[in-house]
Amino acid sequence: MEQLERIKYYETIFDEIQTKVIGLETALDEFEKVLGEIRELEEYYFGPVWREDRWTDEQGLLPKDLKRGILSEDGIYDLVTDLAELSDRLKEDARRTDPRG
């Protein structure tokens, strides 16, 4: 590869990575804003109040037009599991890209 071609090639890679890093920083900033809400959601799901709300729904006592995804057995659990897997993935990616080895 000739010098100018090489510089252009690596400049393209640099620009793409820089754009992705900025996007990831923005996404992480937004995610960090909801960390407290994630803990609150976990406490709700694993506590007695969620079971009471689910029982009320199973008895048909809640309005039929009420959005109730939160009352599904798997919804919050799957979300928490997805978050744990994403955390593991971020740790692995950080380890692989750490220039310090």
Side-chain angles (χ1 to χ4, degrees), residues 33-65:
K33 292 177 184 177
V34 299
L35 287 176
E37 292 171 335
I38 292 168
R39 298 298 167 241
E40 187 177 346
L41 194 60
E42 288 176 322
E43 288 173 12
Y44 169 69
Y45 178 69
F46 291 109
V49 177
W50 179 87
R51 287 189 288 281
E52 178 183 332
D53 292 348
R54 179 157 167 85
W55 182 86
T56 303
D57 184 43
E58 289 172 342
Q59 302 309 306
L61 301 174
L62 296 176
K64 298 295 179 205
D65 63 343

Side-chain angles (χ1 to χ4, degrees), residues 63-76:
K64 298 295 179 205
D65 63 343
L66 178 68
K67 188 173 185 276
R68 57 181 33 84
I70 194 72
L71 300 178
S72 72
E73 288 191 39
D74 297 329
I76 297 173

